[in-house]
Amino acid sequence: MRFYTIKEIQYETSVILYFILLLYFFLNYEPLRAQVVLQANGPGTTYSEITAVLAPNYNPIEVPDCNHSSFGDHIDEVYDSDLGDYAFRFFIHLTPDNDRCINFDRQRNEIKAYDKSPDNLLGTEGEKVIYKWAFKLPVGFQSSSSFTHIHQLKSVGGIYSSMPMYTLTTRKSSPDRLELRYAETTSQITLKQIPLSPLIGTWVEATEKIDYSSSGYYSIELKNRATGEQLFYYDNSAANQPKINWRPGAEFVRPKWGIYRSLNAPNDLRDEEVLFSYFSVHEVESLSTRVVDDPDLVVYPNPTSGMLYHSNSSPANMYVYSKCGLLLLQSRDVKIDLSNLSPALYFLKIYDEHTNAFEMHKILKSN
């Protein structure tokens, strides 16, 4: 019988622990884990729900409530029959609403990530991020001839921080149009524009991908949510298109959504409402990651009181998240057990590691 020395035992123990930790890492590794989803779920506590996701215990909402307290909250949640679900409703009134309770030449009602937000909501140099959201502009929507922004990616820090990098804006014209605007430094150019009319009165799904670097990829796609028709697409892969997605001196980039419009021509405007269904932020390993919508993939039963199945014939990576984007459960199977979760709305992600594609599903856990 051979006796081991103390040093040999220590070495063997350290090797075993190393492989245990390595095994744990590979078993628990999830390529798209840095994910946050903010989803409308019904009337009441809207501000608290937004704050809990975008900046817990702080204020990620820029609304004109303090100047228009008689109206009440300028963001609430309503049921939309076209969507078949609840949506966030953003109000902006021509008067007396203003820009953060300051009388100014513009007004806004926006939500944002900022320096009080969790790190995985802030774009930093070298990161690759996919933003997704769904919105609906109402019939009769009126745009300013200057700008009516509904989304921005805005860098913070450095000498160019006053100008957003990428902006999705609507503009009064003949016909009214949607514009994608870009600023490398302090002046903007229009990368692409389309007539606004195909986006009016319908739910639009937006997918925006960006590589935060000095020569990074950027794309944005808008689709009709009901039909899947592509309404707008742009990417900067052409040699003559800007690819500077990180500004000198920047600390981070923050996303913003809502209504931010000029008051230079008030006769062009009206009291307005814009609906947003959800907002999603994914930090990813590669922008080749695809978000797919497979009509043949069925998740059932939904609602469920316990076991949840998907209709793929082979096992897949399944992840269950809370509304705040917290990973609660994971499984590599055709089923996952939700029995120990409280009744609530959750999100199921099914990830295919072979195609690098994933689907998101809303799941209702019942009693």
Side-chain angles (χ1 to χ4, degrees), residues 279-343:
F279 309 92
S280 170
V281 180
H282 294 257
E283 294 178 352
V284 298
E285 296 293 320
S286 168
L287 289 177
S288 65
T289 298
R290 298 183 297 113
V291 181
V292 299
D293 185 11
D294 181 359
D296 296 326
L297 179 61
V298 178
V299 175
Y300 63 95
N302 188 16
T304 179
S305 60
M307 200 65 70
L308 186 70
Y309 301 85
H310 68 77
S311 59
N312 276 356
S313 58
S314 58
N317 296 289
M318 304 173 69
Y319 305 93
V320 176
Y321 294 87
S322 70
K323 290 188 301 179
C324 300
L326 179 65
L327 179 63
L328 302 174
L329 297 171
Q330 61 187 72
S331 171
R332 183 174 173 79
D333 203 342
V334 295
K335 63 183 184 297
I336 191 166
D337 189 358
L338 279 62
S339 300
N340 292 327
L341 296 182
S342 301

